[in-house]
Amino acid sequence: MADQGFVISVLAAAITAGTPILYAALGELVTERAGILNLGVEGIMLVGAVSGFIAAVAFESSWIGLAAALLAGGMVALIHAFLTITLRANQTVCGLALTLFGTGLSGYLGKAYIGMPVPQPFVAQSLPFLSGIPFIGPIMFNHDILVYLSYLLAPLLWLFLTRTRPGLHLRALGENPAAADALGINVFFLRYLYVCIGGMLCGVGGAYLSLAYAPSWLENMTAGRGWIAVALVIFALWSPLRAMVGSYLFGGIDALGFYLQVKGVTLSPFFLTMLPYIFTIVALVAVMARRGGKLAAPGALGLPYDRESR
Amino acid sequence: MLFPCAVKLEKRLAPSTAMTLATPVISVILALLFCAVFLALTGQNPLDVYIAMLTGAVGSAYGLSETLVKAIPLMLCGLGISIAFRMQLWNIGGEGQLYMGAFAATWVALSFPELPAWLLLPLMVVVSMLSGGIWALIAAALRAKWQVNEIIITLMLNYIGSLWVSYLVHGPWRDPKGHNFPLTAPFSPSALLPTLGDSRIHAGLIFAIVLMVLLYVVFRQSRWGYEIRVIGANETAARYAGMNIKRNIYLVMLASGAICGLAGMTEVSGIVGRLQPNISPGYGFTAIIVAYLSRMNPLAIGIVSLLFGALQVGGYYIQTFGVSATVSAMLQGAILFFVAGGEVFTQYRLVVKSVKGAVARG
């Protein structure tokens, strides 16, 4: 560890690379906590990325872009909510459909925007005082505002889930909707709400790529990050704080590939690009094997709720 | 309730046959309408786009033959995926298995170019099927041993498989005479599947038809086909009936991946004649829709593959007018979610009740 500057830049890059995954993972976590499996994360991220980009170009403001991504993510998730909650459709198939549709739609809408720059991308702004902390400062507090927001979002979501009454209700939706219903919790409305909120967060994850990380639009620019986020929720055992750690771990693997190349490691770039996917498999297997294949997933995850068969 | 109970779903006593048949058709129509909204929003005339797609796909002899050419890998992958789907095993890795099949077939073709066709082609078939099958077995083993989600694993293996092929054609397998393009050397003539006349329709079509019939019989008549269906419908019941679930996870994924691997072989040997990156425009993904839309019925997969082959060719055709080919991907996704949403109506019927009555019921 002679080269401290190198370590700092890799760790700082791990955070930026992990942030889009973190937003998407938190979105999926909220959705799954409500008992709905949404495998459309990859598609929603792409729609978020492209609509954020288009709005940012049209209005010359990345904040408006972000708002557009929120809205678009929520709208796409609403389709999933309608199909799975009202029509009780197969959640796995609907999620896959959403990913395929989102990939196609984003490719179609974004065709004219390939290679265009973002007028005002989110750029790194180092925080006063905090960025001065040795080692930690340059790693954690020299980023764009969306990174800082995600620092707040994950702990707040954890507090919400574990310490508040609405958070308890949210968990009840996913654990035992019939019991929640009996307690007078509006299962249908709240499941709709949380699926949409989850979609909005996935949309932000996508917009982070097109407005801050890249910042540009490319067809299929998420490159599997949505699926990594789905895996991460399992890896994190449905806990927002573990999801945060996991995201930076994945971000680190992502960043490491790039920095190894800079350092002149003679490994084909194709293998370096493979790393996050291989790591996803390894991480998922590690967590499953350690727990003997049994996880404390939300009890009613993936099951449609039919009030009459209560 | 979000909707004040004016419309209700009521469980049917028996699944409706009429709805089972009508859902796919209605879904396609609704998907066309749904995507028309996005086309219109971006200033395209949806009708013009759809007519252009149709013309491109079936309006000429060339279009028709291309539709058939695109339908071949869709049939193969659709058949492969349908085996797993029947057991509610979500093999989303058809794309990666196709790439691994193509890789293995290329390895055989480039290693033994002197072999006669009657020996070389079957060898390529076997090795590509093994390769695709083994690729799928990774997910099967993890699922059987530790309940690892096969959707995520097969998906990750898609990325790894296609990057592996990219690595080979950019690196060790790059043709030194290929002007630095990422391509392998062309196959020897004995490694090429015969084609129909001077069209691009190749013998992969025969593989697809044989497998279609074979799987139809297996699903209908064999004990194995029966086991797969029972496990898919009710795993607990299947376990009580003494069926070996784990062994079937392995077998089903092996068969599923092997057929997708074969699709990779027919693409390199029947169409391209060498290995290159992007040998598939997402056949493995489209095949998911094909399998689901066909309700995993092998004969229906044949027909639906033609429809989606046409969609693919139509997508390429409209590119010549500056409309993105991704329209066809958008349509495919929309069709799938309308099918998934429409499925409910085979089990439930829609009942319209007065809002007052609903309020009275609380």
Side-chain angles (χ1 to χ4, degrees), chain B residues 18-64:
Chain B
M19 283 312 290
T20 308
L21 293 174
T23 322
V25 180
I26 299 173
S27 301
V28 172
I29 296 169
L30 287 177
L32 287 169
L33 291 173
F34 184 74
C35 291
V37 175
F38 292 98
L39 291 171
L41 278 177
T42 50
Q44 298 284 348
N45 182 341
L47 204 61
D48 288 350
V49 173
Y50 291 155
I51 289 174
M53 286 178 84
L54 196 67
T55 319
V58 296
S60 63
Y62 175 74
L64 273 174

Side-chain angles (χ1 to χ4, degrees), chain B residues 48-247:
Chain B
D48 288 350
V49 173
Y50 291 155
I51 289 174
M53 286 178 84
L54 196 67
T55 319
V58 296
S60 63
Y62 175 74
L64 273 174
S65 77
E66 276 303 285
T67 292
L68 198 55
V69 165
K70 306 287 177 213
I72 295 170
L74 289 177
M75 280 182 206
L76 288 170
C77 290
L79 290 168
I81 285 170
S82 74
I83 305 176
F85 277 18
R86 279 199 165 231
M87 213 176 95
Q88 301 275 325
L89 207 55
W90 303 102
N91 177 12
I92 312 302
E95 187 79 356
Q97 290 143 20
L98 185 153
Y99 271 88
M100 292 313 277
F103 142 72
T106 304
W107 176 73
V108 175
L110 296 180
S111 306
F112 313 104
E114 267 87 61
L115 286 182
W118 62 265
L119 193 60
L120 187 53
L121 286 173
L123 200 62
M124 286 165 74
V125 166
V126 171
V127 175
S128 69
M129 290 182 82
L130 271 176
S131 173
I134 290 169
W135 203 237
L137 270 186
I138 299 174
L142 299 177
R143 165 71 195 265
K145 218 165 161 50
W146 295 301
Q147 294 286 312
V148 183
N149 185 315
E150 75 278 11
I151 300 178
I152 296 169
I153 301 297
T154 49
L155 238 143
M156 293 296 128
L157 290 173
N158 284 343
Y159 289 105
I160 298 171
S162 94
L163 283 165
W164 169 242
V165 166
S166 291
Y167 159 73
L168 289 174
V169 296
H170 280 94
W173 283 11
R174 192 207 296 258
D175 181 10
K177 294 193 283 287
H179 303 285
N180 239 10
F181 282 113
L183 305 162
T184 63
F187 291 178
S188 66
S190 57
L192 300 178
L193 281 174
T195 53
L196 187 72
D198 47 7
S199 74
R200 301 212 302 160
I201 302 167
H202 53 83
L205 184 62
I206 299 168
F207 298 159
I209 292 170
V210 169
L211 277 168
M212 209 186 300
V213 176
L214 185 73
L215 283 180
Y216 184 79
V217 176
V218 166
F219 289 154
R220 279 274 161 130
Q221 310 283 341
S222 78
R223 188 189 150 76
W224 187 50
Y226 173 73
E227 277 197 13
I228 294 174
R229 202 173 62 228
V230 174
I231 297 172
N234 189 337
E235 203 183 302
T236 322
R239 194 171 289 123
Y240 282 129
M243 293 174 187
N244 189 334
I245 314 261
K246 282 189 179 173
R247 197 188 61 193

